[in-house]
């Protein structure tokens, strides 16, 4: 008997054993235990043998009806059986699946309390995700669509919930219509224009719409608090994804009576988005839901260009509330721990807002942060006294919102009042600095700012440097502070100039006037303090994250196209000698070489060398370090031309030498390059 015949015989034997076992379960479901081994063995054999399509089809026809019956009566976890079904049907199209399963089959699997059955239903429904015709069939199954929504909202199995959400989003993406040509998904994926039947089924079918509202509402007394908050959190995750595809759908109000019946607020609610914004979440009664709600606003403001207009409207005012929550969290809660948690989440929102809507941010005045009285009255725990204090702290008429935000960031960077931030940086506030337009970071503190708001030495430093960036410490070195400096400086020569000048002033106690233009920087003698500190960190692999971050600063300033950071690097001879020296190759010390700090640093230095070489060529030189383009070379300043001429050949040679200096140590036998 050949090997192929022997394999076929073993496969047939496994099939017969499983079929006999399934028949035993059907005949005596209470006394026969499901044997996971039989199903797992057959699935493994199918995976490692090349069974032809005819054999697989015959096998499917023999096994699937029995499995379908057993799944309804078996008391043990049917996961081995459902995985076998997935293996048998992996090459089936959705149309082929419909030859052995109807809508009732999908409904039973989704309604099952067993997560393995739910996952099987989702796996089979996923086969329709790329066909508008198949999705149209699903859209006709009202009960299946309703159960799919419920599975997404209330399943206790996170794997089932996540799979259901991904399925819903992919089905809706394919079924998306182009109502007015204004939606993001229509612009980016024009070929995915469906019939819209599934959209109408889920968002404009009264029964399913009520299911969404009832599962997420505390007014439905049949739902436990845990079930409601779970459903609410999942709806908050889901809606921004829908907003990205079709903003009109989530703001539509097809069933005003249902919205009114299930909303838990005195404010007017006109649609599913309104319901999620203030119709279902009981504000400050649940700190975790409050945090999720802010995260929802952050995702929403990213989802669609209309989101900011909606959130900042006087009727909704969630944009204003989130700004206040960051600037003065005591307006909403007196608990210090809650204040810190909520302020950090609001900071994430502000960073996202600053990055996406810089013009809106720069144009907004602090006096515009107004919260309508009806929203204040509807917000539990709202402190009118604290809000009045915030308005008094705004400063003179015309104070910009960004200046108020920067003052709050400065307070969170006040290392003299909170020494722990030296090693525990305010991450979210640093993200704000990296998100705000660089020109806004060149500013003085708000007039009237005194030592009651910011430590006097830091206040003097800010005023002397004309930038809040001077409050970001360079030492002791920390990766997050270094990342902030690199990210902000690469966008503006003025930020770099002000920072290094103030640093030099602090070091030597002298005043160095900043009188250069927007594209000019201080002399190398002024900036040497900054680069010496960065280099000291870059030479300390024991610092790991900070060491890598210091290399990143060098890379970012070398690579920036906004101003000539390349020249600044060339001005530092000690730094250049370090960068042009290939590192030695060391043993892995029991870890894969690619995970070692030596390998990561060698990779960073190689990346910097490649950038420097590219900038040399941009100056008009060839790959050997000789002038090739006279026009570009003539456009260089005398200082830059001299420095490029000095370093060019060594830079180009280093860029070709690879990661390691093999002269210093032979290559180690390893699979890594």
């Amino acid at each position: 008997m050949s090997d192929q015949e022997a394999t076929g015989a073993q496969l047939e034997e496994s099939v017969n054993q499983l079929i006999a076992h399934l028949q035993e379960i059907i005949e005596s479901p209470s006394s026969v235990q499901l044997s996971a081994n039989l199903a797992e063995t057959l699935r493994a054999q199918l995976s490692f043998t090349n069974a032809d399509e005819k054999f697989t089809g015959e096998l499917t026809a023999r096994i699937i009806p029995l499995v379908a019956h057993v799944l309804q009566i078996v008391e043990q976890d049917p996961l081995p059986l459902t995985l076998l079904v997935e293996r048998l049907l992996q090459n089936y199209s959705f149309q082929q699946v419909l030859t052995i399963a109807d809508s009732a089959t999908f409904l039973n699997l989704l309604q099952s309390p067993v997560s393995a059955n739910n996952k099987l239903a989702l796996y089979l429904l996923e086969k329709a995700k790329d066909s508008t015709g198949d999705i149209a069939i699903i859209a006709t199954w009202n009960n299946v669509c309703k159960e799919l929504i419920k599975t997404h909202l209330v399943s206790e199995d996170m794997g089932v919930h996540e799979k259901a959400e991904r399925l819903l989003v992919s089905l809706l993406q394919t079924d998306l219509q182009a109502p007015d040509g204004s939606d993001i998904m229509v612009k980016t994926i024009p070929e995915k224009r469906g019939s819209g039947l599934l959209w109408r089924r889920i968002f404009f079918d009264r029964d399913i719409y009520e299911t969404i509202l009832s599962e997420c509402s505390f007014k439905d007394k049949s739902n436990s608090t845990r079930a409601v908050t779970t459903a609410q959190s999942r709806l908050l995750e889901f809606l921004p994804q829908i907003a990205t595809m079709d903003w009109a759908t989530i703001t539509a109000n097809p069933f005003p009576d249902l919205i009114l019946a299930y909303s838990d607020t005195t404010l007017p609610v006109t649609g599913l988005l309104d319901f999620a914004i203030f119709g279902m979440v009981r504000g400050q009664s649940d700190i975790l839901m409050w945090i999720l709600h802010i995260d929802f606003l952050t995702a929403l403001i990213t989802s669609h260009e209309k989101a900011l207009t909606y959130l900042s409207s006087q009727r909704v005012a969630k944009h204003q509330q989130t700004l206040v929550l960051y600037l003065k969290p005591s307006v909403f809660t007196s608990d210090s721990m809650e204040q810190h948690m909520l302020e950090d989440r609001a900071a994430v929102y502000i960073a996202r807002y600053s990055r996406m809507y810089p013009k809106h941010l720069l144009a907004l005045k602090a006096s515009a942060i107004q919260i309508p009285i009806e929203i204040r009255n509807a917000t539990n725990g709202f402190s009118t006294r604290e809000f009045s204090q915030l308005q008094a702290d705004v400063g003179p008429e015309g104070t910009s919102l960004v200046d108020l935000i920067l003052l709050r960031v400065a307070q969170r960077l006040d290392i003299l009042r909170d020494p722990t931030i030296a090693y525990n940086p305010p991450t979210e506030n640093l993200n704000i600095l990296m998100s705000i337009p660089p020109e806004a970071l060149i500013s003085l503190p708000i007039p009237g700012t005194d030592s009651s708001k910011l430590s006097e030495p830091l206040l003097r430093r800010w005023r002397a440097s004309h930038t809040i960036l001077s409050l970001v410490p360079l030492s002791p070195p920390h990766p997050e502070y270094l990342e902030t400096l690199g990210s902000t400086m690469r966008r503006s020569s003025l930020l770099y100039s002000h920072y290094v000048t103030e640093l030099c002033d602090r070091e030597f106690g002298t005043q160095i006037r900043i009188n250069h233009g927007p594209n000019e920087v201080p002399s190398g003698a002024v900036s040497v303090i900054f680069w010496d500190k960065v280099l000291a960190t870059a030479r300390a692999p024991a610092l790991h994250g900070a060491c890598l971050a210091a290399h990143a600063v060098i890379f970012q300033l070398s690579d920036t196209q906004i101003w000539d950071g390349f020249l600044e690097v060339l001005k530092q001879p000690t730094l250049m000698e370090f960068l042009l020296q290939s590192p030695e190759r060391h043993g892995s010390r029991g870890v894969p070489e690619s995970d070692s700090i030596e390998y990561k640093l060698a990779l960073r230095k190689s990346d910097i060398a490649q950038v420097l070489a590219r900038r040399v060529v941009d100056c008009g030189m060839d790959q050997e370090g000789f002038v090739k383009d006279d026009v570009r070379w003539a456009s260089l300043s005398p200082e830059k031309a001299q420095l490029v001429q000095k370093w060019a050949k060594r830079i180009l040679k280093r860029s070709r030498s690879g990661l390691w200096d093999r002269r210093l140590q032979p290559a180690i036998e390893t699979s890594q390059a």
Side-chain angles (χ1 to χ4, degrees):
M1 181 182 293
S2 66
D3 290 343
Q4 185 175 359
E5 290 174 337
T7 301
Q10 292 174 353
L11 187 58
E12 184 64 31
E13 181 181 1
S14 296
V15 171
N16 291 334
Q17 289 178 349
L18 179 61
I19 289 176
H21 178 61
L22 294 176
Q23 289 173 337
E24 288 179 0
I25 295 177
I26 292 172
E27 293 172 2
S28 305
S30 60
S31 58
V32 179
Q33 298 288 311
L34 174 65
S35 173
N37 184 58
L38 290 175
E40 290 170 349
T41 300
L42 179 56
R43 183 165 66 92
Q45 288 176 326
L46 289 170
S47 299
F48 291 102
T49 58
N50 295 320
D52 58 37
E53 186 175 335
K54 180 181 178 182
F55 177 83
T56 304
E58 293 173 351
L59 179 59
T60 301
R62 294 170 62 190
I63 290 182
I64 292 297
L66 295 175
V67 172
H69 194 163
V70 169
L71 289 178
Q72 298 180 46
I73 60 176
V74 70
E75 296 179 358
Q76 294 79 45
D77 183 3
L79 181 61
L81 283 180
T82 59
L83 292 177
L84 175 60
V85 172
E86 290 184 13
R87 172 61 184 84
L88 289 170
L89 301 180
Q90 68 177 9
N91 295 323
Y92 272 47
S93 67
F94 187 70
Q95 291 294 327
Q96 289 174 307
V97 170
L98 293 182
T99 64
I100 57 175
D102 56 13
S103 62
T105 305
F106 289 100
L107 184 61
N108 289 334
L109 290 172
L110 288 172
Q111 289 179 331
S112 171
V114 181
S115 61
N117 291 344
N118 304 152
K119 290 179 181 178
L120 176 58
L122 298 172
Y123 171 80
L124 297 177
L125 287 170
E126 190 177 12
K127 292 178 176 291
K129 69 178 183 179
D130 295 320
S131 168
T132 57
D134 292 343
I135 294 173
I137 293 174
I138 295 175
T140 65
W141 300 343
N142 180 60
N143 290 335
V144 171
C145 292
K146 178 179 177 180
E147 202 60 40
L148 180 58
I149 287 292
K150 289 187 67 174
T151 300
H152 164 234
L153 292 176
V154 303
S155 175
E156 295 183 359
D157 187 301
M158 279 300 296
V160 171
H161 149 65
E162 291 171 354
K163 194 174 181 68
E165 182 175 60
R166 288 195 300 269
L167 174 62
L168 277 168
V169 171
S170 61
L171 292 176
L172 290 168
Q173 283 178 343
T174 303
D175 192 48
L176 182 67
Q177 285 185 303
D180 55 13
S182 62
D183 289 295
I184 294 174
M185 283 300 300
V186 173
K187 288 182 179 180
T188 57
I189 312 180
E191 66 275 13
K192 289 196 172 184
R193 295 184 181 180
S195 63
L197 291 176
L198 187 63
W199 284 83
R200 290 192 286 276
R201 173 64 68 190
I202 291 178
F203 297 106
F204 296 93
D205 178 281
R206 185 179 180 87
D207 189 26
I208 295 179
Y209 201 85
E210 184 169 15
T211 297
I212 296 173
L213 298 177
S214 64
E215 295 294 348
C216 298
S217 175
F218 284 104
K219 283 195 170 184
D220 189 334
K221 302 302 182 183
S222 64
N223 297 330
S224 67
T225 299
R226 178 183 176 184
V228 172
T229 54
T230 297
Q232 288 179 348
S233 67
R234 292 173 179 178
L235 183 63
L236 293 177
E237 292 175 358
F238 184 56
L239 285 182
Q241 299 177 73
I242 303 305
T244 299
M245 292 185 277
D246 188 357
W247 180 264
T249 291
I250 63 170
T251 54
N253 191 20
F255 308 107
D257 58 320
L258 294 180
I259 288 286
L260 180 62
Y262 287 102
S263 294
D264 191 11
T265 180
T266 57
L267 298 172
V269 180
T270 59
L272 197 56
L273 183 56
D274 276 7
F275 176 74
I277 289 286
F278 41 70
M280 67 177 191
V281 178
R282 288 180 171 176
Q284 293 81 343
S285 61
D286 185 337
I287 184 64
L288 293 180
M289 280 305 301
W290 201 358
I291 291 172
L292 286 174
H293 193 69
I294 300 171
D295 291 345
F296 160 68
L297 298 177
T298 304
L300 187 66
I301 203 173
T302 310
S303 68
H304 199 282
E305 58 191 9
K306 296 180 181 178
L308 179 59
T309 302
Y310 170 84
L311 291 174
S312 57
S313 66
Q314 284 297 297
R315 185 180 69 85
V316 178
K318 284 296 179 181
H319 180 66
Q320 296 89 314
Q321 290 182 65
T322 310
L323 291 173
V324 171
L325 190 56
Y326 173 71
L327 296 171
K328 199 171 185 65
S330 57
V331 171
F332 294 96
T333 176
S334 58
D335 186 289
S336 59
M337 183 175 293
E338 290 185 354
Q339 289 177 12
H340 183 74
M341 294 169 65
L342 294 170
E343 180 185 342
D344 281 349
R345 302 318 298 165
V348 176
Y349 173 92
I350 290 173
R352 191 75 58 85
Y353 158 63
S354 302
R355 188 176 298 115
M356 293 198 64
Y357 303 97
K359 292 182 179 179
H360 188 278
L361 169 70
L362 296 180
L364 201 62
K365 299 301 180 184
S367 57
I369 307 176
Q370 299 295 330
I371 301 176
I373 187 65
E374 58 272 16
I375 293 180
R376 294 188 225 171
N377 293 338
T379 304
N380 295 330
F382 187 93
S383 172
T384 302
R385 183 177 64 83
E386 292 291 323
F387 185 63
S388 299
Q389 182 62 51
L390 172 64
Q391 292 177 311
D393 290 343
V394 163
E397 187 70 25
T399 299
S400 68
L401 171 65
V402 71
D403 284 341
L404 207 59
I405 291 173
L406 291 179
L407 177 58
R408 187 58 178 163
V409 173
Q411 291 172 333
R412 294 302 302 272
L413 286 171
D414 196 336
I415 197 169
L416 299 180
R417 291 182 176 173
D418 182 8
T420 64
I421 68 171
Y423 53 85
N424 185 26
T427 303
E428 289 75 14
N429 289 270
L430 295 177
N431 286 335
I432 291 177
L433 288 184
M434 291 187 282
S435 302
I436 285 177
E439 62 269 24
L441 299 179
I442 306 292
S443 65
L444 292 170
I446 295 173
T449 303
D450 54 28
S451 58
S452 66
K453 297 176 182 176
L454 190 66
S455 296
E456 186 62 34
L458 296 186
L459 191 56
R460 288 198 303 268
R461 185 187 305 176
W462 186 355
R463 286 172 175 154
S465 65
H466 289 249
T467 176
I468 187 178
L469 200 63
S470 64
L471 306 189
V472 177
L474 190 56
S475 58
H478 192 284
E480 290 190 33
Y481 290 130
L482 286 164
E483 180 189 0
T484 303
L485 292 173
S487 177
T488 51
M489 286 180 178
R490 73 186 304 270
R491 297 185 293 155
S492 169
S493 63
L494 275 178
L495 284 176
Y496 169 81
S497 300
H498 283 281
Y499 188 91
V500 301
T501 302
E502 193 280 330
L503 188 65
C504 182
D505 178 41
R506 256 189 291 151
E507 192 76 17
F508 294 113
T510 58
Q511 292 292 333
I512 301 175
R513 187 180 302 277
I514 300 177
N515 56 4
H516 47 73
N519 296 316
E520 299 174 343
V521 292
S523 66
V526 174
S527 56
V528 69
I529 300 299
F530 170 78
W531 286 109
D532 281 353
K533 289 181 180 293
V534 172
L535 179 57
T537 305
R539 280 176 163 164
L543 296 177
H544 286 257
C547 182
L548 291 169
H551 281 77
V553 170
I554 301 169
F555 178 90
Q556 288 174 309
L557 297 189
S558 302
D559 193 43
T560 179
Q561 302 297 316
I562 299 173
W563 61 283
D564 203 347
F566 171 55
L567 176 59
E568 285 302 291
V569 174
L570 293 181
K571 288 179 182 178
Q572 309 300 323
T574 308
L575 175 64
M576 287 299 301
E577 291 293 345
F578 167 76
L579 294 176
L580 296 179
Q581 180 182 2
S582 297
E584 296 184 42
R585 190 173 192 174
H586 299 278
S588 61
R589 303 188 183 92
V591 298
E593 187 179 37
S594 60
D595 292 339
S596 68
I597 184 63
E598 291 87 357
Y599 179 85
K600 293 176 181 177
L601 291 175
L603 195 60
R604 290 288 175 91
K605 286 188 76 172
S606 178
D607 289 341
I608 294 170
Q610 299 302 321
V611 167
L612 294 176
R614 188 172 68 248
R615 300 304 298 271
V616 165
V617 172
D618 289 343
C619 290
M621 284 194 162
D622 62 17
Q623 292 295 333
E624 299 302 322
F626 297 102
V627 176
K628 177 182 179 181
D629 189 327
D630 293 331
V631 175
R632 278 194 285 178
W633 183 257
S635 68
L636 303 181
S637 67
E639 180 187 29
K640 185 171 183 179
Q642 181 181 10
L643 288 170
V644 172
Q645 190 79 52
K646 175 183 177 180
W647 296 107
K649 291 183 179 180
R650 292 183 62 188
I651 288 173
L652 294 166
K653 182 180 178 181
R654 173 67 185 91
S655 70
R656 296 190 294 265
S657 66
L659 297 184
W660 310 107
D661 188 339
R662 300 182 185 277
R663 297 172 304 168
L664 299 177
Q665 184 167 330
I668 297 172
E669 292 185 7
T670 173
S671 59
Q672 298 294 334

